[in-house]
Amino acid sequence: MAPSGTLTPPGQRQGHAGELTSEQLQSYNDDGYLIIPNALDASTTDSLLHETKSMLSSFSRKDHPMTKFSTGENDKAHVGDDYFLTSGDKIRFFFEEDAFDAKGTLLKPQHRAINKIGHYLHVLNPAFRESTLTPFNAGIARSLGFRDPRVLQSMVICKQPEIGGRVPPHQDSTFLYTNPPSAVGFWIALEDATAENGCLSFAKGSHRRSPVKSRFVRKQDGDGTEFVDVEGATFPRDFDVEEKAQKDEVYTMGEVKAGTLVLIHGNLLHKSEKNLSDKSRFIYTFHAIEGDNEYDERNWLQPPETGFSKLYQ
């Protein structure tokens, strides 16, 4: 049986490139996510995977601060050093926490120690740019009602074998807040994502009952990051909200094949478990926001001098 939210592959759609069918759009609106198999062909998927592995093997650790990516669980501080905060217009490499021992010694080879690569792949790396700023993705954004979609970040998340960290339930708009919220994640599997290697799980429909209550920002003293209460809108503009919240969300696992695209609403609660298997789970993801919504200077990610990348060319 196909996973919940799985619908017609894009090559079988009618209309403009990337345009969602009415059935797909209804599924996304109801569930808060949409699984689109075969969004990337095998050749493109393999090319992006090869490019990722090349970057992992060739980047220099000279002068690297060895920044570890932490989600802030177990009272640990969320990543927020200068290397992270100035990555919005660069390609930078963030280590997996469990790639080190208690004394800070790296236990894994470099290519098996990185948690993610980000956050300007969609501009600085030709292979990823050609798979991001495309008519296909613009067509999807148009179907979702975007007026001026801007790609503001992109990253490869490696989910390394044996040490790939757990990501707790979260909403993407917490980390990429606009007023009102508008973030949508485009999540692309470069390898098969399974229960064993840490696939995504979704709280179906939670985007309609879960307001964005906090946002991830730069501390006002300039020293690191923190979560603060949202003072603006907590749901997208003109959004149909469920008044009754669920106490305990039920998560649906989303195992997918390489080349699959998953669209993720910014209010949707989703998560992934630790990868304890011997297989990696490489994915590429980028996020789009509404260009004319307020995006302020407190957000951890600040736009480059040229502004965030236009998806409509």
Side-chain angles (χ1 to χ4, degrees), residues 98-115:
D98 288 349
F100 299 84
D101 66 15
K103 296 181 180 179
T105 302
L106 188 63
L107 301 175
K108 298 286 184 179
Q110 175 172 297
H111 69 282
R112 292 279 295 270
I114 294 299
N115 171 289

Side-chain angles (χ1 to χ4, degrees), residues 4-5 7 20-34 144 202-210 239-242 246 249 252 263 265 267-269:
S4 175
L7 289 160
L20 300 177
T21 66
S22 58
E23 182 186 17
Q24 287 175 312
L25 192 56
Q26 187 64 54
S27 180
Y28 175 81
N29 287 334
D30 289 346
D31 297 343
Y33 69 99
L34 178 68
L144 297 178
F202 313 95
K204 184 185 295 187
S206 61
H207 64 308
R208 295 198 177 277
R209 56 181 173 265
S210 299
F239 199 61
D240 185 14
V241 176
E242 290 183 12
Q246 288 186 200
E249 294 286 355
T252 300
L263 301 176
H265 191 283
N267 278 59
L268 184 80
L269 289 164

Side-chain angles (χ1 to χ4, degrees), residues 123-140:
V123 172
L124 297 182
N125 185 287
F128 285 97
R129 182 174 63 245
E130 291 170 8
S131 294
T132 306
L133 305 177
T134 66
F136 177 76
N137 290 326
I140 290 175

Side-chain angles (χ1 to χ4, degrees), residues 12 66 92 105 128:
Q12 298 178 20
M66 305 301 279
R92 289 188 165 167
T105 302
F128 285 97

